[in-house]
Amino acid sequence: MLTFAGTGSYSPTDFIIAALTAPAFLVFTTFVLMFNDLVFLRNRVKRAHANIEVALKKRFDLIPNLESIAKTYLAHEQELQKQLAELRAGTRAGTSYSTGEIDAAIRRDQLVTERMLALLESYPELKGDKVVGDLMSRLIRVENEIALMRDGYNDSVELYRTGSQRFPEILLSKTLGF
């Protein structure tokens, strides 16, 4: 209308052209916004998929490292517990003692006590259950993270599919291959 008013043209066709320009602009703007929405939703799905891949990579890298740490620590602790079990087994060999065996039993008992004290001084923090517990809690956290990423991916896919199947977005999505 301003263009026609500036030129001084007020013919009926000018009014019809001006009246059709506004709806055409609105339709064009609507399709541009729908296209941008579909692009956003498609990129959101890709980002959610990438987040799952990152979480799986984290799990893939974490599990062998934690497993080797736990195995190394538990193997050391297992060797130590085996030595203690052998020392304990030596003291409980007999249930009734003769007079001559009492001295030998006391010596074995002192040996076990001295050995246990030496081991406790050398390794004051023998707690394999904490190592295994820490390993399990880290694995659980990674698995929970993967589950959250999968939920986010499923939500993104649902939004994308819903957005691309609504009318009039379906016309745009079919035409442009979304």
Side-chain angles (χ1 to χ4, degrees):
M1 289 293 286
L2 291 174
T3 305
F4 296 131
T7 61
S9 173
Y10 291 108
S11 69
T13 57
D14 294 340
F15 285 109
I16 292 173
I17 291 172
L20 294 177
T21 304
F25 178 74
L26 289 175
V27 168
F28 173 75
T29 304
T30 302
F31 276 104
V32 167
L33 291 174
M34 287 187 305
F35 175 79
N36 288 341
D37 188 40
L38 289 172
V39 168
F40 171 77
L41 291 174
R42 181 177 58 192
N43 289 339
R44 184 175 171 179
V45 168
K46 288 179 182 178
R47 184 184 69 221
H49 187 267
N51 287 343
I52 291 174
E53 289 177 350
V54 167
L56 289 174
K57 174 81 167 114
K58 186 189 288 186
R59 178 176 69 177
F60 181 76
D61 292 341
L62 178 70
I63 289 174
N65 290 339
L66 291 176
E67 184 181 14
S68 68
I69 289 169
K71 278 184 180 178
T72 302
Y73 188 82
L74 291 176
H76 163 70
E77 189 170 319
Q78 182 180 11
E79 180 62 32
L80 206 51
Q81 289 176 354
K82 179 181 168 189
Q83 291 174 357
L84 288 173
E86 288 173 358
L87 289 173
R88 277 192 307 250
T91 60
R92 294 184 181 172
T95 54
S96 61
Y97 296 104
S98 66
T99 310
E101 295 175 330
I102 291 177
D103 287 336
I106 290 174
R107 279 193 295 258
R108 281 194 306 259
D109 205 25
Q110 285 176 342
L111 180 65
V112 170
T113 305
E114 289 172 7
R115 180 77 173 137
M116 285 179 66
L117 289 174
L119 290 174
L120 288 175
E121 287 173 1
S122 299
Y123 310 104
E125 293 289 326
L126 287 177
K127 299 197 172 133
D129 58 334
K130 285 186 181 181
V131 172
V132 172
D134 185 48
L135 171 66
M136 293 306 294
S137 68
R138 287 184 187 192
L139 289 175
I140 288 169
R141 276 183 282 177
V142 169
E143 292 299 325
N144 288 340
E145 182 180 336
I146 291 170
L148 286 174
M149 295 300 163
R150 290 178 69 180
D151 284 344
Y153 176 75
N154 290 338
D155 291 343
S156 297
V157 169
E158 180 184 5
L159 286 172
Y160 178 63
R161 286 185 177 167
T162 302
S164 64
Q165 293 174 356
R166 288 184 303 215
F167 185 80
E169 285 97 337
I170 193 166
L171 301 173
L172 189 63
S173 66
K174 294 284 185 188
T175 305
L176 298 176
F178 281 92

